[in-house]
């Protein structure tokens, strides 16, 4: 499913409501005052209702007779939805909550990516290798944070694509939202381990169709990613900046 895009007033309204809910400004269980929100957001009631339908589809809100529209419990939210993840990372969570979400992401990656890279090593074709090579080459270019982040995302996207497993390929929507946020945090700090050798080791193992080496290289890459994030988060005496 394609992530929800920002589309004019409707898109802005969806994002504004989502971030208020995710940030706790509109708490779980709260009944929404649609008239007040309509006035505050300066949108039509129709636009507001259409925006709430988007959030309802993601499990965040619901409506009942006599109760009206209300925020559902967090346990009902589709937390694996790419938009819900993005909204949390882009402003819905801060401080300890943000770090907890990044920790959860790291654990998910540690489960998915070592297994995925084994499949990639077994199933990759020349197009897959070319995509991985292009991403590593772009990563080696010192052209600023946005470029570095996109190169890293392109690498992990290509890696999942190389599994030739449609469900694993869709996991990019889960991983990318958090990975982009993590990359921006890590890249904002002045010192860190060079990400290129770790990614090149994964590429080399996939190219050589060596699943064991590919898995070992991916685990080493994820360990490095964790070290860099720990430094930026203040869990280490030094600081890191590179995305993994």
């Amino acid at each position: 499913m394609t992530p929800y895009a920002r589309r004019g007033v409707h898109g802005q309204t969806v994002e504004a409501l989502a971030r208020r809910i995710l940030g706790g400004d509109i708490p779980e269980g709260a009944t929404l005052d649609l008239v007040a929100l309509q006035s505050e957001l300066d949108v039509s009631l129709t636009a507001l209702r259409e925006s709430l339908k988007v959030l309802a589809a993601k499990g965040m809100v619901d409506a009942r007779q006599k109760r009206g529209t209300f925020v559902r419990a967090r346990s009902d939210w589709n937390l694996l939805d790419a938009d819900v993840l993005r909204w949390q990372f882009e402003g819905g969570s801060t401080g300890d909550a943000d770090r907890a979400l990044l920790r959860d992401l790291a654990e998910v990656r540690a489960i998915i990516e070592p297994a995925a890279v084994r499949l990639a090593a077994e199933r990759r074709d020349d197009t897959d290798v070319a995509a991985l090579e292009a991403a590593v080459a772009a990563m080696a270019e010192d052209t600023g944070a946005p470029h570095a982040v996109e190169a890293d995302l392109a690498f992990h996207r290509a890696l999942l694509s190389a599994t030739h497993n449609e469900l694993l390929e869709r996991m990019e929507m889960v991983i990318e939202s958090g990975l982009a946020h993590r990359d921006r945090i890590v890249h904002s700090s002045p010192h860190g381990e060079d990400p290129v050798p770790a990614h090149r080791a994964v590429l080399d193992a996939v190219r050589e169709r060596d699943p064991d080496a590919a898995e070992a290289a991916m685990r080493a890459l994820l360990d490095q990613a964790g070290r860099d994030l720990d430094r930026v988060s203040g869990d280490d005496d030094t600081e890191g900046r590179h995305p993994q």
Side-chain angles (χ1 to χ4, degrees):
M1 182 177 182
T2 303
Y4 183 80
R6 300 175 180 86
R7 294 188 291 268
V9 173
H10 175 58
Q12 294 169 11
T13 304
V14 171
E15 303 241 338
L17 290 169
R19 286 174 177 157
R20 290 188 187 191
I21 293 171
L22 288 162
D25 296 328
I26 306 177
E28 297 172 49
T31 298
L32 303 181
D33 185 337
L34 300 191
V35 174
L37 282 173
Q38 177 190 357
S39 175
E40 185 179 348
L41 298 173
D42 192 25
V43 295
S44 69
L45 187 58
T46 298
L48 180 59
R49 291 188 184 279
E50 289 300 313
S51 298
L52 289 169
K53 286 181 182 179
V54 175
L55 299 184
K58 299 177 185 297
M60 296 176 67
V61 301
D62 202 353
R64 293 284 187 273
Q65 282 189 334
K66 298 184 179 179
R67 180 174 180 180
T69 303
F70 61 93
V71 178
R72 299 178 67 179
R74 184 181 176 86
S75 58
D76 294 326
W77 301 352
N78 184 0
L79 295 177
L80 291 180
D81 180 271
D83 292 317
V84 176
L85 282 167
R86 177 172 59 81
W87 290 328
Q88 289 183 90
F89 283 122
E90 289 183 357
S93 59
T94 56
D96 291 342
D98 187 68
R99 292 180 64 183
L101 195 57
L102 286 169
R103 183 179 62 246
D104 288 349
L105 171 69
E107 291 174 352
V108 169
R109 291 183 65 195
I111 293 168
I112 293 173
E113 292 196 284
V117 80
R118 293 188 67 90
L119 290 179
E122 294 169 352
R123 300 175 178 177
R124 66 58 167 185
D125 57 28
D126 291 344
T127 300
D128 298 321
V129 172
L132 289 166
E133 289 174 339
V136 171
M139 199 177 300
E141 298 173 1
D142 187 12
T143 53
H147 178 85
V149 170
E150 182 50 44
D152 189 44
L153 295 178
F155 181 89
H156 292 276
R157 191 183 304 125
L159 184 65
L160 291 174
S161 179
T163 67
H164 295 274
N165 178 306
E166 186 175 11
L167 296 181
L168 277 173
E169 289 179 48
R170 295 298 180 92
M171 288 302 297
E172 75 173 72
M173 297 178 65
V174 174
I175 292 175
E176 279 198 18
S177 298
L179 184 57
H181 178 70
R182 177 212 164 275
D183 284 356
R184 286 190 292 269
I185 292 174
V186 171
H187 198 78
S188 68
S189 193
H191 305 291
E193 298 178 64
D194 183 356
V196 175
H199 286 79
R200 184 170 288 129
V202 174
L203 163 62
D204 290 343
V206 170
R207 183 193 291 115
E208 295 302 316
R209 298 187 185 276
D210 188 335
D212 291 338
E215 179 180 351
M218 176 56 70
R219 292 192 184 280
L221 186 156
L222 293 173
D223 286 344
Q224 181 177 330
R227 290 194 300 272
D228 277 351
L229 187 59
D230 285 345
R231 292 185 184 105
V232 174
S233 300
D235 293 337
D236 195 289
D237 291 333
T238 57
E239 294 183 347
R241 70 178 176 88
H242 295 291
Q244 307 299 336

